Amino acid sequence: MTLMPARLLSIALFLFALIPARAQQNVPFPGTIGIEQSLDRLNELGTVLMIAAHPDDENTAVLAYFARGRHMRTAYLSLTRGEGGQNLIGPEQGPQMGIIRTQELLTARKIDGAEQFFTRAIDFGFSKTASETMEKWGHDRILSDIVWVIRRYRPDVMVLVFSGTPADGHGQHQVSAILGKEAFGAAADPHQFPEQLKYVEPWRARRLVRASFLMGPGRGGPTGAPGTTPPANGGTPAASAYASASTPPAGRGGPQLPQFPPLPNAGEADTGGFNPILGYSYLELANMSRSMHHSQGTGAMRQVNPGVTSFGLVEGEPSSKDIFDGIDTTWNRLPGGAAVGPILEAAIRDFEPAHPEKSIAALVKARPLIAAIADPLAKIKLAELDETIALCAGLFMEAQAQAAQVTPGGQLSVTTMVLNRSTAEVTLDGGSVEGLWNDALEIKPVKLDHDQSARVQFDRTVPPGQAYSQPYWLVKPPAGDVYQVDDQRLVGLADTPPVLQVRLRLTVDGAAIEVARAVKYRYAERSEGERVRPLVVVPAVAVNLPDAAEVFPANAARRVQVALLANGANEAGELRLDLPPGWKAEPRLQAFKVAAAGEVEEVTFEVTPPAGETTATMKAVARVNGRDIASGMQVILYPHIPPQTLFPPSDVKLVRANIEVKVHKVGYIMGAGDEMPDALRQLGLEVTLLGPSDLEQGDLGRFDAIVAGVRAYNVRGDLKANQARLLNYVKDGGTYVVQYQTGDASLNLGPYPFTVPGGTRWRVTVEEAPVTFPHPDSPLLQYPNHISQKDFEGWVQERGLYFATQWDKQYQTVLSSHDPDEEGMEGGELWTRYGKGVYIFTSYAWFRQLPAGVPGAFRLFANLLSAK
Ligand SMILES: [Zn+2]
């Protein structure tokens, strides 16, 4: 073996360690198409990196074209995981939604064939300016992450989606282009972020381009000057990146954006082109891929129209026809690579769909040549080559855990299986594990004839001090709007590396290869078929607190419940509440025992607040087998993504605030999902969720107040259908509170007309924005709680969204607010008497403030419910 310099070796090892999961992920078609795509990829050495701000900003047709059509390494770097937007499929917000959107992107990438990266930036909600975004994220931190991804992925061409000007709309969009441009130069400069050079080398991409969103009616059709039109409303779904994670797509006819600045032409890509091997055009693949963003509602119809995407040159070497003009993407670009290309070309030419094993000989010939090349790209290709050999040999390989989860100190049993489904000569030579343990597996070499399999089983004890499988970016609490990740090598990764993976050494037709498989749990869900879960390490007992905040509306003790979920049988211990000074819990400590895994035991404490108004943090801690457990556990389950497990800290915010409310029975019409009902129950209210039959024929008169949840009118036909019944309820003396709905001209939200235009303009995104009272005597500001400026302190994320812009004179306004340098807007809260009751429209972000335990927001909302 030739000796490598220490630094090169560490780079090689590091890159190598990252490859297997990705190589597997790119084969959604395991048959002929998959093998052909793999063979083509082996002989193509071009690399493209696209940069934008959110899940769904990416130009998916461009990704599909380069990954599936040109067989290049193609990746999308999204600065954020889309934590700040609205969730269309459930109640998750913030980090939980970031997890969902991460998995939606990874699912989309399986279709378009690209890879996925993120920076540590958090989507903190809609931002109107680049400067606000830059201030919250910190210029250097995010630049450093983009530079890191460039140095590690080593793209030839970088593609921006946005322009870095106000034409991009969202401030986070602008920043993705501003920092993308800076990173293009900074990644090549060894004086920038030198601490990264321990792992990677400086890298200069050849050119930086911006993709336009012009889709011509036909090839060579009138597509206009490249890059002059912003990706605004009404663009083709595949190309319309304007709708950000934080900005649900606005209807056509929203506010017109300024034009993107023009750029010199850098070439075109046939993104509407049909690929007969795949059976789809890239635009069709893009529509399928984008439709994976369920939580954002970007589901799109297939588009079969031809068309091209044009590119404008931002920086680097000019190009005219193609963004790879003048870039050698063959094996000739690597020293010692010249002999590889012809061998792979022959393998592609001679490929027989019914006999893929015949291609192995050529791959075996290419292997030592590739293995001898020191360049990191060759190391990646070597791993892809080994996967391709395994694919040609019809090898089935998996590492199956006997359960989806394991506790520290618990027993883990894993069965690894290798099955030879071809006539290739295969031996299993050995293997090792990586992750929980890093050592060799005891495997006796075994020859596998056609249809023969080998099983390797091992049982081990998980180290008692093993950390839980928290997503890596959530292990430490975020610092403001940026995740804290201590290990540089994790930065940029889309997902947490597997808890454990098995690496197998095999000989196939004379070539020694290595493949790795993450340990997973595969099982059948009767109604859905097979599901696969990643193996996770979980606490023996998860300490779950039902709410993020506990509100004490008066100076009296309240019961606080803690739910203990056992992850093993007969888990026993003691539970205590760690309280700040002035607060008391009774009893101080409680013993518990949970008989079976999966069972939950509720433990109740009586918590007494201090006399004055205050907020504090309480921690619930279970002590089990000498170890303190201060983590809850949440499993996010949706059919379109793999199940995700996370471990929120078992903290709860305690809020002691004087809040009066004059109603008791509240009906709640849940919309797209929010956590308002539980928050309202904290005031001692009896909250009933209203289903379709309640709205159609239930006795609405039994409720003191009825509340429509966020976007209820957007997602519930039964609500629209029963609007007359709700207005009659008001006429008869009820109070009806309607929270924000996204703009839609067909919605008739109130007894008198008002307009909610949608789009990003009519909102107040700065959560500290000043709020004034146009009618200070309004009962909504006086009864039963007297509202003052203090009630607008401590708000989170934003003031409000989707304000009304015009309203009938029957309505009175209550609050006025605006973002910096804008005019005051009064359309965030309208109210009117109607018959004997009161109707209120309010698009302030109650659904964020109340679950977060903002005392002033509770007082304001209590006034809405109590209005008469
Ligand atoms: Zn966006």
Side-chain angles (χ1 to χ4, degrees):
M1 170 183 163
T2 42
L3 286 172
M4 290 168 94
R7 195 161 74 87
L8 258 183
L9 185 66
S10 76
I11 293 170
L13 286 176
F14 172 52
L15 286 165
F16 198 65
L18 291 172
I19 294 157
R22 201 205 59 68
Q24 283 166 256
Q25 156 188 321
N26 271 307
V27 191
F29 318 101
T32 299
I33 293 174
I35 297 173
E36 284 197 324
Q37 288 254 310
S38 298
L39 289 171
D40 285 333
R41 275 177 67 92
L42 285 178
N43 201 29
E44 169 56 62
L45 275 65
T47 303
V48 192
L49 176 66
M50 180 180 289
I51 301 175
H54 306 115
D56 96 340
D57 286 346
E58 72 271 29
N59 187 323
T60 325
V62 170
L63 294 178
Y65 168 81
F66 282 104
R68 294 262 177 242
R70 300 273 290 263
H71 312 111
M72 290 182 176
R73 292 170 72 231
T74 306
Y76 172 45
L77 168 59
S78 173
L79 298 195
T80 75
R81 296 175 189 265
E83 299 86 343
Q86 278 95 47
N87 183 353
L88 280 173
I89 56 172
E92 296 86 359
Q93 290 184 36
Q96 278 88 342
M97 198 161 61
I99 288 174
I100 293 174
R101 296 208 165 142
T102 296
Q103 295 302 320
E104 288 179 341
L105 274 186
L106 290 174
T107 308
R109 294 295 84 90
K110 283 184 188 164
I111 295 168
D112 58 47
E115 299 168 64
Q116 185 61 49
F117 299 109
F118 295 97
T119 73
R120 287 172 291 177
I122 296 173
D123 176 6
F124 52 84
F126 187 76
S127 155
K128 288 175 183 166
T129 63
S131 57
E132 187 201 5
T133 301
M134 212 68 100
E135 198 178 300
K136 292 207 174 199
W137 285 349
H139 170 277
D140 287 6
R141 265 183 302 196
I142 305 310
L143 178 63
S144 148
D145 286 6
I146 302 174
V147 164
W148 166 253
V149 170
I150 294 169
R151 286 172 173 173
R152 219 182 62 182
Y153 197 61
R154 299 160 68 102
D156 301 306
V157 178
M158 289 165 52
V159 180
L160 298 177
V161 173
F162 296 105
S163 69
T165 70
D168 302 334
H170 202 320
Q172 296 176 8
H173 292 167
Q174 300 180 44
V175 165
S176 76
I178 294 167
L179 292 183
K181 269 183 240 179
E182 279 188 51
F184 176 75
D189 180 354
H191 301 293
Q192 296 263 20
F193 310 109
E195 68 281 1
Q196 296 177 0
L197 301 180
K198 187 160 59 159
Y199 305 106
V200 291
E201 290 178 46
W203 181 257
R204 182 179 293 283
R206 296 280 289 274
R207 60 179 63 98
L208 175 69
V209 300
R210 192 176 76 224
S212 81
F213 286 83
L214 295 176
M215 299 298 294
R219 237 159 276 189
T223 55
T228 53
T229 303
N233 309 330
T236 64
S240 170
Y242 177 62
S244 81
S246 314
T247 318
R252 281 149 207 264
Q256 281 301 303
L257 289 166
Q259 295 280 293
F260 272 5
L263 292 170
N265 167 51
E268 285 183 348
D270 185 12
T271 48
F274 177 66
N275 184 319
I277 293 174
L278 301 174
Y280 295 107
S281 77
Y282 306 110
L283 184 54
E284 282 181 275
L285 285 177
N287 294 152
M288 288 153 63
S289 166
R290 285 183 75 76
S291 296
M292 288 299 136
H293 295 308
H294 292 208
S295 72
Q296 318 206 39
T298 53
M301 278 187 6
R302 231 163 82 176
Q303 294 192 317
V304 295
N305 48 303
V308 296
T309 297
S310 54
F311 298 91
L313 184 73
V314 179
E315 268 185 57
E317 300 165 25
S319 57
S320 60
K321 286 199 166 62
D322 184 84
I323 58 172
F324 275 83
D325 279 356
I327 299 173
D328 184 359
T329 69
T330 72
W331 278 95
N332 295 333
R333 71 187 278 170
L334 299 183
V340 177
I343 299 173
L344 295 175
E345 269 159 42
I348 292 164
R349 194 182 52 233
D350 300 337
F351 174 68
E352 286 182 41
H355 291 286
E357 72 281 0
K358 289 188 182 171
S359 301
I360 297 174
L363 301 179
V364 168
K365 210 165 117 194
R367 199 183 188 282
L369 302 175
I370 297 174
I373 303 172
D375 192 279
L377 185 52
K379 303 296 164 210
I380 290 166
K381 289 290 163 191
L382 189 65
E384 290 182 358
L385 179 89
D386 285 358
E387 287 287 350
T388 309
I389 290 174
L391 206 54
C392 289
L395 286 179
F396 176 88
M397 291 172 283
E398 72 168 355
Q400 163 86 335
Q402 104 276 23
Q405 55 189 47
V406 62
T407 56
Q411 283 297 115
L412 175 64
S413 173
V414 175
T415 305
T416 303
M417 206 258 270
V418 183
L419 166 64
N420 177 12
R421 299 186 288 189
S422 75
T423 54
E425 282 195 19
V426 176
T427 54
L428 173 60
D429 301 322
S432 55
V433 286
E434 295 163 358
L436 281 175
W437 307 278
N438 293 288
D439 52 35
L441 282 174
E442 249 182 66
I443 298 177
K444 284 202 192 97
V446 53
K447 185 165 178 294
L448 300 175
D449 290 332
H450 184 218
D451 278 351
Q452 275 191 343
S453 63
R455 272 165 212 273
V456 181
Q457 209 242 331
F458 63 87
D459 296 272
R460 292 189 184 187
T461 306
V462 176
Q466 180 64 40
Y468 313 134
S469 307
Q470 184 81 306
Y472 78 83
W473 58 95
L474 299 177
V475 168
K476 293 184 100 178
D481 294 300
V482 180
Y483 292 120
Q484 296 193 74
V485 179
D486 288 341
D487 186 346
Q488 176 70 46
R489 293 169 301 176
L490 293 173
V491 171
L493 294 186
D495 210 348
T496 310
V499 168
L500 186 67
Q501 66 176 0
V502 172
R503 183 175 294 279
L504 298 170
R505 287 183 286 112
L506 303 119
T507 304
V508 179
D509 284 349
I513 65 167
E514 276 197 9
V515 287
R517 292 292 179 265
V519 175
K520 294 187 172 169
Y521 176 63
R522 197 155 60 85
Y523 62 106
E525 190 77 75
R526 294 233 165 197
S527 58
E528 288 166 23
E530 180 177 284
R531 301 225 62 185
V532 179
R533 279 192 186 215
L535 174 69
V536 286
V537 179
V538 302
V541 171
V543 183
N544 287 320
L545 292 153
D547 301 300
E550 295 282 351
V551 179
F552 294 74
N555 192 12
R558 258 198 59 189
R559 286 152 58 96
V560 171
Q561 266 192 342
V562 181
L564 295 170
L565 166 71
N567 284 318
N570 294 317
E571 299 288 1
E574 285 173 339
L575 180 67
R576 67 172 196 268
L577 299 185
D578 288 348
L579 285 160
W583 294 77
K584 279 199 224 60
E586 192 60 43
R588 296 186 67 88
L589 201 69
Q590 299 196 52
F592 64 85
K593 181 169 182 184
V594 196
E599 263 182 31
V600 174
E601 186 179 325
E602 305 264 0
V603 180
T604 306
F605 294 85
E606 191 90 348
V607 175
T608 310
E613 295 199 332
T614 181
T615 61
T617 302
M618 176 189 91
K619 194 179 261 303
V621 184
R623 192 160 182 86
V624 180
N625 298 329
R627 181 173 174 172
D628 273 355
I629 300 172
S631 297
M633 176 168 143
Q634 188 187 351
V635 180
I636 299 175
L637 281 173
Y638 285 104
H640 66 301
I641 55 172
Q644 298 295 304
T645 309
L646 75 157
F647 306 93
S650 54
D651 288 350
V652 64
K653 182 177 167 191
L654 299 174
V655 179
R656 166 69 195 98
N658 295 322
I659 303 158
E660 275 205 69
V661 61
K662 296 294 184 190
V663 296
H664 183 61
K665 287 190 173 173
V666 174
Y668 198 92
I669 307 165
M670 184 59 79
D674 58 57
E675 289 165 340
M676 287 288 285
D678 279 338
L680 295 174
R681 286 182 188 118
Q682 304 228 3
L683 297 180
L685 301 177
E686 186 187 317
V687 182
T688 307
L689 294 185
L690 302 182
S693 67
D694 296 307
L695 295 183
E696 266 162 41
Q697 55 202 17
D699 172 18
L700 300 179
R702 68 198 168 101
F703 298 108
D704 304 320
I706 294 178
V707 179
V710 301
R711 293 203 307 277
Y713 282 90
N714 300 116
V715 300
R716 281 184 63 167
D718 63 316
L719 173 55
K720 282 195 262 188
N722 290 293
Q723 177 72 352
R725 286 198 86 225
L726 284 155
L727 292 181
N728 279 335
Y729 159 79
V730 179
K731 219 186 235 169
D732 295 342
T735 300
Y736 184 36
V737 181
V738 176
Q739 298 177 76
Y740 96 82
Q741 312 294 326
T742 61
D744 179 344
S746 74
L747 296 181
N748 243 328
L749 297 175
Y752 309 109
F754 61 89
T755 312
V756 181
T760 55
R761 187 155 169 230
W762 310 105
R763 53 172 73 196
V764 181
T765 64
V766 177
E767 63 268 30
E768 302 93 0
V771 179
T772 57
F773 308 146
H775 300 95
D777 298 335
S778 171
L780 300 191
L781 295 172
Q782 300 300 339
Y783 178 81
N785 301 290
H786 173 73
I787 300 300
S788 71
Q789 284 302 325
K790 198 165 162 279
D791 293 308
F792 294 92
E793 289 171 9
W795 281 44
V796 296
Q797 186 148 336
E798 61 197 336
R799 284 283 188 224
L801 60 173
Y802 297 101
F803 280 26
T805 49
Q806 286 172 308
W807 48 89
D808 190 277
K809 60 181 186 310
Q810 300 278 354
Y811 291 104
Q812 200 181 62
T813 60
V814 186
L815 307 170
S816 174
S817 188
H818 61 88
D819 274 331
D821 307 321
E822 293 185 359
E823 305 263 300
M825 291 189 287
E826 295 184 20
E829 193 160 303
L830 307 173
W831 79 284
T832 181
R833 290 211 163 81
Y834 181 64
K836 291 184 229 160
V838 174
Y839 173 89
I840 301 166
F841 166 76
T842 180
S843 55
Y844 279 79
W846 311 111
F847 72 106
R848 295 196 194 280
Q849 315 309 325
L850 268 57
V854 177
F858 267 100
R859 289 154 52 81
L860 278 148
F861 205 83
N863 282 10
L864 304 186
L865 297 175
S866 309
K868 31 173 164 193

